[in-house]
Amino acid sequence: MAITVSEYAGAIRDTVRSFWHGMSITLSHLARRPVTVQYPDRTPLPVRDMLPPRYRGFLEVDATICTGCQACERACPIACIQINLEKDPANPKQRVVTQFDIDEAKCMFCGLCVEPCPTGSIQHTREFEATRKAVDSLVMRWVPDPEKPVPFYRPVKGQDPPRAKVGEILKKRLAEASWVARPDIFPADDAGDAPVKGKG
């Protein structure tokens, strides 16, 4: 089937028109100011201060006011909270928390664990930066040493639990290496990651 001269010229005209249409959009962006912002050093305020009031960042546990009820562990739909309770060897009538781990890499920040906590021991913070080379380094241990378990908190009627300011405990933990659950998974090259086994 032969193509006529008018059809051929029309195809060239349509090609040139579509080319210039695309180029006009591209060239229009040359005169505009960039909309990207260099994060985090050129934001007008610290990002933490620009987050909405009900922002859900990393979870934090104030183990000193944990009642050991395990309501948060049961409420978690993806089982990223692990709590172990045992009898205190020094006082068999007293039970203690020997493990309270939260896998922040697995957490979906739904907030279902925060709601049933009777004392507000577990809370979402405004922290969201904790880049690590190993995913396992995001398993936070809120009872760092199983040999030093935390006794259950006994609520006092009519008094609010003496909770630390939300976010303060987590900031200290992120600066340490003691919260890393399994430090021997990957050796670290720089400070802040899990320590190399046998070197720290």
Side-chain angles (χ1 to χ4, degrees):
M1 183 174 170
I3 298 175
T4 64
V5 174
S6 63
E7 289 175 336
Y8 187 74
I12 292 173
R13 186 180 61 249
D14 291 343
T15 302
V16 171
R17 185 183 296 156
S18 64
F19 170 78
W20 282 111
H21 178 69
M23 287 303 294
S24 65
I25 293 171
T26 303
L27 292 170
S28 70
H29 283 273
L30 290 176
R32 298 180 191 176
R33 295 183 68 182
V35 294
T36 52
V37 176
Q38 292 297 321
Y39 172 82
D41 56 333
R42 293 190 186 169
T43 54
L45 292 169
V47 176
R48 194 180 295 104
D49 297 339
M50 296 189 288
L51 297 172
R54 298 181 68 183
Y55 176 79
R56 294 186 199 137
F58 284 135
L59 287 166
E60 172 188 76
V61 176
D62 187 346
T64 61
I65 60 168
C66 176
T67 60
C69 65
Q70 295 179 291
C72 56
E73 184 180 31
R74 288 191 299 274
C76 182
I78 53 175
C80 69
I81 300 175
Q82 260 192 324
I83 301 173
N84 283 341
L85 310 175
E86 293 178 12
K87 288 184 179 178
D88 188 353
N91 183 3
K93 293 182 180 179
Q94 170 93 29
R95 297 189 75 201
V96 291
V97 181
T98 57
Q99 179 188 19
F100 198 134
D101 294 353
I102 300 177
D103 189 345
E104 297 284 0
K106 191 177 176 185
C107 179
M108 63 182 186
F109 305 98
C110 62
L112 293 175
C113 59
V114 175
E115 294 172 16
C117 183
T119 60
S121 170
I122 185 168
Q123 294 286 334
H124 280 287
T125 65
R126 299 173 75 79
E127 298 294 324
F128 59 92
E129 296 178 301
T131 305
R132 295 286 187 255
K133 290 184 179 179
V135 173
D136 286 350
S137 295
L138 284 170
V139 178
M140 297 193 184
R141 302 184 81 174
W142 296 103
V143 179
D145 187 357
E147 299 298 318
K148 297 176 183 174
V150 179
F152 288 1
Y153 173 75
R154 303 289 178 209
V156 179
K157 192 173 182 179
Q159 290 183 11
D160 290 334
R163 196 195 195 290
K165 186 179 176 184
V166 175
E168 293 301 316
I169 302 170
L170 180 63
K171 284 179 193 173
K172 289 177 186 172
R173 287 291 171 90
L174 289 174
E176 301 169 357
S178 61
W179 58 273
V180 178
R182 297 175 64 191
D184 57 338
I185 298 292
F186 294 102
D189 293 334
D190 51 67
D193 280 343
V196 178
K197 194 172 184 181
K199 292 189 179 179

